[in-house]
Amino acid sequence: MPYLGDEHTVRELRRALSNPNVQADHLRYRNTIHRVIRLKLCDVWGQSEVLAVLQRYRPRGEDELFDILSLLDPALLSHHAPVMAATLRLFLSLCSTLPAVCMSALERARGPLLAAAGSTSRELRYAALCHIQLLLRSEPGLMGEHYKRFFCGYAEPPYIKQNKMQVLVELVNDDNVAMVLDELRGYCTDVNTETSQTAINAIGSIGRSYTDRCLAILTGLLGLKQEHITSAVLQTLRDLVWVCPQCGDAVCSALEGWEDNLQDSQGRGALLWLLGVYGDRVTGAPYLLEDCIDGVRSEVSAEVKTELLTATLRLFLSRPAETQDMMGRLLVYCIEEEVDMCVRDQALLYYRLLHCGIEEVRQVLQGGRRSDPSLGPLIGRPPEPISQWASSFNTLEPLTLGASTVGNSDHATPKPSTLTPNTLTSNAEAMTPTPGDPHLPDCSSGALSLSVSPALTPEEFERLWLQLEKGACLEVCVQ
Amino acid sequence: MISQVFILSSKGDHLIYKDFRGEAGKDAVNKFYEMVTALTGGQPPVVMKHKELHFVHIRQGGLYWVATTKADASPFTIIEFLNRLTALVKDYCGCLLEKSVQMNFALIYELLDEVVDFGYIQTTSTDILKNFIQTEAVSSKPFSLFDLSNVGLFGADTQQNKVAPSAAATRPIVSSQGEQGSKNEIFVDVIERMSVVIGANVSITDYMVESSLSTYVKMAHFYDLILPNIPNVISLPPPSLLSGYGAAVRVDECSFHQAVRLDEFDTYRILKVCPSQGEQTVMQYQLCDDLPTAPPFRLFPSIERDSGGRLLMYLKLRCDLPPKRSLPLLSLFSPSLFSSLSQELSSPDQSAELQPKNKAVHWEIPRFPGGAQLSALFKLEVSGLSAASLQEVGPVSLSFELPKYTCTGLQIRFLRLSPIQPGPSQRWVRYVTHSDSYTIRI
């Protein structure tokens, strides 16, 4: 507790508040609380302590509640960030049943929060930005006209820039989209690769609602021919196409005449996926795939190899004559020589599928392409209720959460990955439906049916396995 | 509730360690250093978690200032506390460097003892602490009389009477008896931080100023004993919060320190404050987009390819300040991915070099008179020149400090101490406009 002067009173009051006898006597407790609130002579730390203690108090009635709120009102506008944050947290927890009051409290606290977001101390800026992100989950329009405050400064550290870009994506609307996109375009060529990747992802997220402009910017960026930018653009295009299939044309024209050799495995995976899906419209697709197939022995990443398999099979469906030969070579390599079991099993699956017939292949690979509703357009997403995050306001939680997403700025957009056949029965979490997902329960062709539940339960399998003698092989009839 | 506070140098040397609650062991220090150095991507995030312990840190003066906490404390409180702690150490030791922290470790331990009690922050106000801190600060730079000589040759009044070097403000506030510390000094700083983005079509995309008016007070010991409260009266011309015409200064938002008395603010724009020792921010204000003066610098770039496969970047920089002003130093950064550089600059005292670390061309201009125009021609070698290389030249960023200039036009009319002080007291008013981020897109 604070040190001198009438901070003695604060100490007494605090002792009184923690005293169970006082707590049991409602009148005494309430009077103590009111004396606590009237202390304006404490310094910053005293006030934060007092507000933290007040968190524990539940007012008896509405009159008392509003009394307390009006007494604490000036503290909401304090330019000391700790006091303002503690008061806001108190308001939000006291008024959890009165949404209008919460809303007006948020609006009044907006000024001091923005001031903290522009303070000289970098760390304070970071804390304010994380909290603003929390606020925007419930009130997306709160900071609308202040979007310029979130433009990144030149010398800011990368983690602040990335946070600011995430906030900018939330603030976009019809009036400011042109300016915001201009700014983001400027950050795409930033010297720091992570920052430029975050900027490109941000443009992709905005592209879900403002597709044309963003596509123009993204395809323009491909012209720079820089490794990290191209890789990020391809991944963003893949995610965008998944949500907005109408951008297929622009993507095809961008892929026309593609010559680059990408080193980054994620970028190559994205490129292969796009070639597979739009292979029939891109003239050079088989030749590009052929280059990749010829180099598959030196390919390190298993993800790229599985993407290559799926893309080749898809292309085979639309252009069989050109692709047949290379697909044969690829399957032979994967089944005979590949070391990674996931890739080998995927290839085996496709081989058996092909034996069943072309119709089955078509159905499995192209049927049931569902979009994930959580990837829908950015605007029009239902806001979360305040109570979901009010308890973590003004604690360290938003900052640790923010830290884990800084490195992985794409947390909201899942990468569609091909499931391996071993996980046929796993329910894909709602975030990662995959194209070409062999796990489709409604395959009604009859000749081939994949069942969701296995023929053997795990316990039976274990029993059978343990019964085996050495050297014998397990023959299980799988219906 | 703070569990431990420690200070590490950037190489991981333990400078200060203080455990308040005995909840965590000393190995937390090493753990923190491991975590901090393992993180990639420029600066690591501010809050890290290891098992039950949260580490909150700030970086100042090349040192890591870390506080650990077990409970889920308020991040604003801890960060603000760490900032205040660094300000306190700076007030006492003069400057914030590893060397001064090492030499003054006893003082810092005493400060930490007084400031935090069992993890609860007591007070960080210099006034109160001054009564309890007994250790003297050891200054790393011996303070010499020549730094602040007020008497010129033959006793004449020189320019130096009116101007003190900026090092005067960094002298430690509590100096030992018998030194020059018997003067009363008040520094009032109006520091404006400008952030401007100028788009490629020379339109101003973003123009924002955030500024603060702060006082830095150094009063000798014995004056305080007689008059513990010394109210200052600082007066400002009327900033009107509505857009108006005339000589009014317009600000979008302003907020005041708690201790400022605003009873005469509305009518005469007078601020009354009783400042505590050391640095204190009296008023903070922001202004967006509608500044009375244009941005001070304009750049006219032109980039083209020459026949030899090199990129020619011709930059013409124009300063729009009134001709009496002149800038001490300006540096220009222009990120690009070029491999070598040859240049022609318009005057011999400028210098430019290619910095491969930031992938930028750095142009330093030591002096820039107002109203003048400087130009530079950079010839850059590019490997693999293509049409897209022209787009790769990043935005030009300027960093500068303009003394005696405020972009909002805020001026301090007078500064009065009341009651009137018996001895001489020096009052310095300083206006500085500092570039937070001045970016010009090409």
Side-chain angles (χ1 to χ4, degrees), chain A residues 1 45 79 159 179 185 394, chain B residues 74 122 124 205 284 391:
Chain A
M1 288 315 288
W45 316 111
H79 79 139
Y159 61 94
M179 294 211 66
R185 166 78 184 76
N394 202 24
Chain B
S74 154
Q122 302 294 304
T124 52
T205 323
Q284 279 180 327
Q391 287 188 42

Side-chain angles (χ1 to χ4, degrees), chain A residues 192-317:
Chain A
N192 180 316
T193 49
E194 281 179 12
T195 314
S196 57
Q197 277 164 356
T198 317
I200 295 173
N201 288 330
I203 296 185
S205 314
I206 298 180
R208 288 181 218 154
S209 308
Y210 297 96
T211 327
D212 302 322
R213 293 186 217 230
C214 297
L215 271 181
I217 297 183
L218 288 171
T219 42
L221 283 173
L222 282 177
L224 287 180
K225 304 224 183 282
Q226 280 198 36
E227 171 87 23
H228 62 277
I229 294 184
T230 314
S231 161
V233 168
L234 283 173
Q235 292 174 52
T236 315
L237 282 176
R238 174 194 61 195
D239 298 334
L240 198 56
V241 158
W242 181 239
V243 179
C244 309
Q246 67 267 24
C247 5
D249 297 323
V251 173
C252 293
S253 44
L255 290 179
E256 215 54 63
W258 181 268
E259 276 164 16
D260 286 348
N261 243 337
L262 279 178
Q263 299 299 326
D264 175 41
S265 57
Q266 302 213 336
R268 294 171 74 180
L271 177 65
L272 290 169
W273 189 88
L274 284 169
L275 283 176
V277 171
Y278 292 110
D280 44 351
R281 293 194 249 175
V282 179
T283 44
Y287 308 106
L288 287 167
L289 280 182
E290 185 157 21
D291 286 332
C292 290
I293 292 174
D294 289 336
V296 74
R297 272 178 188 78
S298 47
E299 179 62 57
V300 170
S301 153
E303 214 180 83
V304 174
K305 286 190 239 192
T306 36
E307 287 284 358
L308 187 59
L309 276 168
T310 318
T312 319
L313 199 62
R314 282 216 184 96
L315 202 59
F316 177 67
L317 288 175

Side-chain angles (χ1 to χ4, degrees), chain B residues 63 80 110 130 159 222 242-243 247 278 286 329 338 351 363 422:
Chain B
L63 304 167
E80 186 77 17
E110 198 176 345
K130 210 159 49 105
Q159 181 70 3
F222 46 99
L242 313 159
S243 60
Q286 288 119 25
L329 180 70
F338 305 117
S351 69
W363 178 18

Side-chain angles (χ1 to χ4, degrees), chain A residues 1 3 45 47 79 85 118 120-121 123 148-149 153-154 159 179 183 185 191 223 226 394-396, chain B residues 43 58-59 74-76 81 83 114 122 124 193 205 208 210 255 258 284 337 388 391-392 397 437 441:
Chain A
M1 288 315 288
Y3 207 61
W45 316 111
Q47 288 181 355
H79 79 139
T120 36
S121 156
E123 291 79 11
K148 283 199 177 163
R149 303 282 206 112
Y154 180 72
Y159 61 94
M179 294 211 66
E183 260 316 286
R185 166 78 184 76
V191 172
Q226 280 198 36
N394 202 24
T395 62
L396 291 170
Chain B
Q43 299 267 328
I58 68 173
R59 278 204 81 161
S74 154
F76 291 104
F81 164 70
N83 283 329
E114 296 295 335
Q122 302 294 304
T124 52
R193 290 178 294 132
T205 323
M208 188 162 74
E210 294 187 52
S255 59
Q258 213 177 339
Q284 279 180 327
L337 300 158
Q391 287 188 42
E392 276 175 14
S397 148
S437 148
R441 297 245 160 82

